[in-house]
Amino acid sequence: MPGERGRMKAPVRELLRSWRGLTLLETAAVMLIVAIITVPLVAVARGLIVLPVQWQDNLGTVRDAREALHLVASDARQAACYTEGTSAGDYGTFTWTDYTETPAIVFNVRYYSDTAHPDGSRNMLREETIDASPPRTSSIGDVEEFSIRQEGRMIRAWVKVPSQPDEDSDRYLLQIAAQMRPTGPAIADC
């Protein structure tokens, strides 16, 4: 048995002697291949990691528009009544009563915007009044050309989002539709 161990170590030693490292030519070839592959990979990674500032701004605008539409749809599904706004910056008010609470709670949610910014966008606001308590106002974000429209019991809302400067000058439209509560004696006072 001791002789077998010595015979097994010999081929390993011969293999290690034959592997002495890379030649200068092989090292240069490997470095050239790595350089050729690395340059485009770095360019792709840089493009994916570093977003252009305009694209980031556009993402924020789209996020604000989607948030506004989400809130309108949520309020519309709970609403028994919708009253259209009377001025350019007043989009409308949703009203409903929550009968799951004792006593019942009356909600009024008004959507409006403040003065226009230099870029034409407006800060959209949501004002919620519960019973006779003071209203709570929350800012949704900057939106452009926002509208809420009632068609029977269906509420439709849309907002136009600006395109990026290198795209064509058209804007694309985000919209949502939500069904209000069905009519009945509980909402006869609308």
Side-chain angles (χ1 to χ4, degrees):
M1 290 244 196
E4 287 181 26
R5 282 189 187 175
R7 276 188 253 153
M8 290 180 131
K9 288 183 182 180
V12 173
R13 285 186 195 144
E14 288 176 22
L15 181 65
L16 290 176
R17 265 188 231 130
S18 67
W19 184 262
R20 296 196 186 262
L22 298 175
T23 65
L24 182 58
L25 183 60
E26 291 169 332
T27 304
V30 168
M31 289 177 66
L32 179 64
I33 291 170
V34 168
I36 290 171
I37 293 172
T38 303
V39 170
L41 287 177
V42 168
V44 168
R46 182 174 170 249
L48 292 175
I49 294 172
V50 179
L51 298 175
V53 172
Q54 294 167 345
W55 191 29
Q56 289 178 1
D57 291 343
N58 197 32
L59 287 174
T61 304
V62 171
R63 184 189 66 243
D64 290 346
R66 286 185 177 172
E67 177 68 15
L69 292 176
H70 171 74
L71 288 170
V72 168
S74 176
D75 290 335
R77 284 189 292 272
Q78 297 178 71
C81 300
Y82 173 72
T83 308
E84 289 187 21
T86 56
S87 64
D90 188 9
Y91 303 117
T93 303
F94 293 102
T95 305
W96 70 90
T97 303
D98 183 359
Y99 292 102
T100 62
E101 299 289 329
T102 306
I105 300 172
V106 177
F107 288 85
N108 287 303
V109 178
R110 177 177 166 240
Y111 287 91
Y112 65 98
S113 62
D114 60 4
T115 57
H117 300 300
D119 65 354
S121 67
R122 293 175 170 267
N123 186 27
M124 186 169 171
L125 302 166
R126 179 182 183 270
E127 181 181 87
E128 180 180 61
T129 305
I130 301 172
D131 284 332
S133 65
R136 290 185 311 188
T137 303
S138 57
S139 174
I140 298 172
D142 292 334
V143 297
E144 289 186 27
E145 298 184 45
F146 186 82
S147 177
I148 302 173
R149 186 178 72 232
Q150 183 176 8
E151 298 171 358
R153 301 301 298 163
M154 181 71 68
I155 296 293
R156 296 187 185 280
W158 60 267
V159 62
K160 286 191 176 182
V161 178
S163 60
Q164 293 199 16
D166 56 344
E167 298 174 4
D168 61 23
S169 62
D170 291 340
R171 298 172 183 202
Y172 62 99
L173 185 69
L174 294 176
Q175 55 187 338
I176 197 163
Q179 186 75 30
M180 291 173 54
R181 285 185 185 176
T183 58
I187 58 170
D189 59 339
C190 291

